[in-house]
Amino acid sequence: DGGITQSPKYLFRKEGQNVTLSCEQNLNHDAMYWYRQDPGQGLRLIYYSQIVNDFQKGDIAEGYSVSREKKESFPLTVTSAQKNPTAFYLCASSIGQGIGELFFGEGSRLTVL
Amino acid sequence: DQQVKQNSPSLSVQEGRISILNCDYTNSMFDYFLWYKKYPAEGPTFLISISSIKDKNEDGRFTVFLNKSAKHLSLHIVPSQPGDSAVYFCAASEPSGAGSYQLTFGKGTKLSVIP
């Protein structure tokens, strides 16, 4: 089945540790995205990538880093510089970074203790 | 500054009645609008969309209306079913240069359909 797989679904980490969230898609989509959702907030864009080896900052990129070495993969690292990392993280992809629907993964809930 | 606003954080509707979810936007460059549905601890799923050249799009029980002059869109669900209980996000798309587009989401409206 085609889709987007995020792992892990739940993650607990101590303050000050870097954490990497995995996102893999087999939809052959060019564009991939990372969003963050907080209670009572909409989805806020962290980073996006239109093609391999290229990515751009979204609205709230500070304290995060990404890589796009393969078309299928777009991992997100939450660094110790992110002041409030506890959140629900969503990865998405689309055929191109254009009009049309985004396909979302199931999400990863990160809790920093 | 919020460019896409869903002013009702929550809405309760009786099963079988109509649910109307509203969304307002401020950016006149938005030219495509989407609604997503999200269950707790899951990713959002696409529901329905509308281009700015249309004022209505219908898909089964779901209809989206767009009023460009008022910068307002609404999602109608008729009849509402308990399985429709979820958070609904409004999203808007604008060109962001070099043929690419940026999607902006509202904060969501939690719909509860009461049996």
Side-chain angles (χ1 to χ4, degrees):
Chain A
D1 277 8
I4 299 179
T5 303
Q6 287 186 241
S7 63
K9 195 169 175 68
Y10 299 97
L11 185 61
F12 296 87
R13 278 295 182 267
K14 291 183 180 178
E15 204 172 304
Q17 288 182 329
N18 289 359
V19 169
T20 296
L21 306 179
S22 169
C23 178
E24 302 278 331
Q25 55 102 354
N26 59 5
L27 299 167
N28 200 32
H29 285 172
D30 288 316
M32 296 186 75
Y33 314 79
W34 275 103
Y35 287 89
R36 170 180 171 143
Q37 187 193 10
D38 295 285
Q41 298 286 329
L43 304 178
R44 293 184 290 169
L45 183 64
I46 304 172
Y47 268 97
Y48 64 97
S49 167
Q50 298 182 58
I51 56 171
V52 174
N53 292 323
D54 185 58
F55 48 83
Q56 282 80 40
K57 292 181 179 180
D59 301 319
I60 54 165
E62 186 175 348
Y64 299 99
S65 66
V66 293
S67 63
R68 186 87 187 274
E69 296 175 3
K70 299 185 298 181
K71 187 175 184 178
E72 316 82 69
S73 178
F74 191 41
L76 173 74
T77 297
V78 185
T79 75
S80 56
Q82 167 49 232
K83 290 181 172 44
N84 188 15
T86 294
F88 190 58
Y89 290 89
L90 287 159
C91 180
S93 70
S94 64
I95 292 173
Q97 204 222 345
I99 276 182
E101 58 179 289
L102 297 180
F103 292 82
F104 284 88
E106 295 283 292
S108 294
R109 178 161 297 283
L110 171 63
T111 303
V112 175
L113 306 171
Chain B
D1 180 33
Q2 247 192 302
Q3 297 186 69
V4 178
K5 300 178 186 178
Q6 293 178 257
N7 291 320
S8 298
S10 62
L11 175 69
S12 288
V13 171
Q14 207 73 29
E15 180 178 3
R17 306 294 291 267
I18 183 171
S19 295
I20 300 176
L21 296 95
N22 293 305
C23 179
D24 296 294
Y25 62 95
T26 56
N27 186 344
S28 56
M29 297 300 292
F30 288 146
D31 57 5
Y32 195 73
F33 303 89
L34 307 93
W35 284 94
Y36 283 84
K37 176 180 178 179
K38 184 182 181 300
Y39 294 116
E42 293 185 10
T45 53
F46 170 75
L47 196 56
I48 193 169
S49 62
I50 187 167
S51 165
S52 60
I53 62 173
K54 294 186 175 181
D55 54 19
K56 177 182 173 181
N57 188 26
E58 194 172 347
D59 184 3
R61 296 186 296 115
F62 303 91
T63 303
V64 56
F65 295 92
L66 176 63
N67 182 334
K68 281 181 64 179
S69 60
K71 293 191 175 68
H72 176 84
L73 65 155
S74 61
L75 173 68
H76 293 212
I77 307 174
V78 181
S80 301
Q81 298 173 354
D84 296 330
S85 297
V87 176
Y88 289 79
F89 289 99
C90 171
S93 176
E94 65 172 310
S96 59
S100 63
Y101 291 80
Q102 188 89 339
L103 204 61
T104 302
F105 286 85
K107 291 188 176 183
T109 296
K110 183 177 181 180
L111 173 66
S112 300
V113 179
I114 305 159

